[in-house]
Amino acid sequence: MGNILFSEWTRSYRKLNDLNQLKEDIINNFQEWGVIDKKIVCMLSGGKDSATALALAKDLGLNISLAIHFTHRWSWQLSKEEAKRIADRFDVPIMFYDITKDLKKRTKGAKGRSICRICKNIMKSRTIKIAKEEGAEVIMTGDTSVEKISGPIMQYLKEKYGEVRFEKMELTPVPKKYNFLFFRPLIRCGYEDILKLVEYYNIDVRRVYEAGDRWGFWREGCPLQYCDNEALITEELLDKLYIYNERITKVAREDGRFRASIRLPSKEIIVVPVKDDVDDREKEEFIKKLGEILEKL
């Protein structure tokens, strides 16, 4: 296969020039840690980032023994379907793990701003337990350069080497509290680079059409992220977040011009154009249409 020249940002700020260099760095890291042939468990969300990470890992011939897709009562069915399709494409067994019980228990009485952090902690802890049962020594995620984990990874490298060794970022025991190796093949890649890799590996993922939690990057997750920051989390609120967002994302997907989500309990509607040629009048008309639909719920 060919090569990809990465963006100026990635070349300048992550010292990563192209795909071939990334592959070489990853293999070197696996050899240095002594895990080149060890089993890897992949956290597969059903989105483009984790799918691309899996494609790259398989391209390198790494031992991906299992993919895990976490679900809960309020998660998107479409994401589950895409995770299954992606795992099948790359011939990786997939496990579906329901965390509804844990999520209800851990979020009771918490504020909305903490829900994603709580959910991610549950998923990481469960993945480590499953990985150990599988005899795996590495966990892979689709984390990219926009993730907050980049900071702790660079701090770890600075402590270990006296400087940030960017070529070591992909394989680290960070977060250190888990005492486990995490493989993040895309952690140095900027958004433009991800799109290049998506095309290179022919990754085609159906989208929910929600607004996403990274403005400009359209990274979908689940409807629970739209809980207002200061709202107290209740089961009733989580149910409403799913019902309302399921309805308006369906409308957005059918329309094709916008991504849409709604925050609750404030009922703030978030609409993001899919393309740059959509004008303000079209956006206002679409928001009005969504408002009329929501009044009937």
Side-chain angles (χ1 to χ4, degrees):
M1 299 178 74
N3 193 17
I4 296 175
L5 180 66
F6 287 139
S7 65
E8 182 179 350
W9 182 90
T10 298
R11 297 196 306 271
S12 298
Y13 295 101
R14 292 296 182 265
K15 311 304 179 188
L16 180 60
N17 294 317
D18 53 39
L19 178 57
N20 285 344
Q21 182 192 341
L22 176 58
K23 290 180 177 181
E24 183 178 344
D25 288 347
I26 288 171
I27 294 300
N28 287 340
N29 288 337
F30 270 77
Q31 289 174 338
E32 288 176 18
W33 279 99
V35 292
I36 191 66
D37 296 317
K38 301 299 183 181
K39 290 182 179 180
I40 301 170
V41 167
C42 167
M43 297 177 73
L44 191 62
S45 70
K48 69 179 187 306
D49 294 343
S50 60
T52 304
L54 179 56
L56 176 54
K58 293 291 286 187
D59 186 14
L60 288 168
L62 297 174
N63 185 9
I64 311 297
S65 64
L66 178 68
I68 305 174
H69 179 81
F70 288 96
T71 66
H72 49 71
R73 196 169 89 196
W74 309 279
S75 55
W76 298 126
Q77 177 64 24
L78 182 58
S79 297
K80 181 178 180 180
E81 293 171 1
E82 290 302 281
K84 176 68 167 63
R85 187 174 62 83
I86 292 161
D88 287 348
R89 173 186 165 183
F90 292 105
D91 194 26
V92 175
I94 186 167
M95 171 190 292
F96 297 101
Y97 195 102
D98 192 314
I99 60 170
T100 302
K101 185 177 179 180
D102 286 339
L103 194 57
K104 286 167 63 175
K105 181 179 179 180
R106 294 276 299 275
T107 58
K108 187 176 181 180
K111 289 191 175 182
R113 63 172 175 263
S114 64
I115 194 162
C116 291
R117 174 182 54 79
I118 291 170
C119 189
K120 287 177 181 178
N121 285 341
I122 293 171
M123 290 190 291
K124 278 195 174 70
S125 296
R126 293 299 176 186
T127 302
I128 288 170
K129 183 176 183 295
I130 294 167
K132 288 179 178 178
E133 291 171 351
E134 281 285 307
E137 296 187 23
V138 181
I139 292 171
M140 183 174 74
T141 78
D143 292 336
T144 71
S145 64
V146 302
E147 307 295 340
K148 292 181 180 178
I149 195 66
S150 295
I153 289 173
M154 287 191 278
Q155 181 60 36
Y156 162 80
L157 294 173
K158 190 173 182 179
E159 291 171 359
K160 183 173 182 178
Y161 298 105
E163 61 178 344
V164 177
R165 296 279 299 275
F166 289 99
E167 75 276 14
K168 308 288 187 181
M169 284 188 73
E170 281 74 30
L171 189 63
T172 64
V174 179
K176 290 188 285 186
K177 67 179 181 179
Y178 293 112
N179 194 30
F180 215 89
L181 273 177
F182 286 87
F183 174 38
R184 301 177 175 91
L186 308 180
I187 195 63
R188 281 191 282 172
C189 297
Y191 180 62
E192 293 178 28
D193 311 310
I194 301 299
L195 294 182
K196 291 178 181 179
L197 288 167
V198 165
E199 182 177 359
Y200 181 82
Y201 287 113
N202 192 28
I203 302 296
D204 182 20
V205 175
R206 290 181 298 164
R207 309 307 299 261
V208 176
Y209 266 65
E210 62 168 277
D213 66 351
R214 292 285 189 277
W215 309 131
F217 297 101
W218 190 4
R219 193 187 70 173
E220 299 171 339
C222 83
L224 303 191
Q225 66 181 299
Y226 302 105
C227 183
D228 288 330
N229 285 343
E230 297 303 315
L232 287 179
I233 298 171
T234 64
E235 195 169 339
E236 180 185 8
L237 176 57
L238 301 184
D239 287 342
K240 286 183 177 180
L241 279 162
Y242 179 81
I243 293 167
Y244 278 60
N245 278 286
E246 182 187 41
R247 183 71 182 96
I248 68 172
T249 52
K250 181 177 184 293
V251 174
R253 189 162 54 251
E254 291 171 349
D255 182 282
R257 295 173 298 165
F258 303 97
R259 312 187 296 273
S261 298
I262 181 169
R263 300 187 67 88
L264 293 177
S266 65
K267 292 190 176 181
E268 175 193 356
I269 297 174
I270 308 165
V271 171
V272 183
V274 173
K275 299 179 181 179
D276 295 333
D277 59 357
V278 178
D279 60 37
D280 290 339
R281 178 187 57 80
E282 291 177 278
K283 182 177 178 180
E284 289 173 5
E285 289 177 351
F286 185 70
I287 292 174
K288 182 180 179 182
K289 178 181 178 180
L290 292 180
E292 292 171 352
I293 291 171
L294 293 173
E295 285 179 2
K296 299 175 183 178
L297 290 177

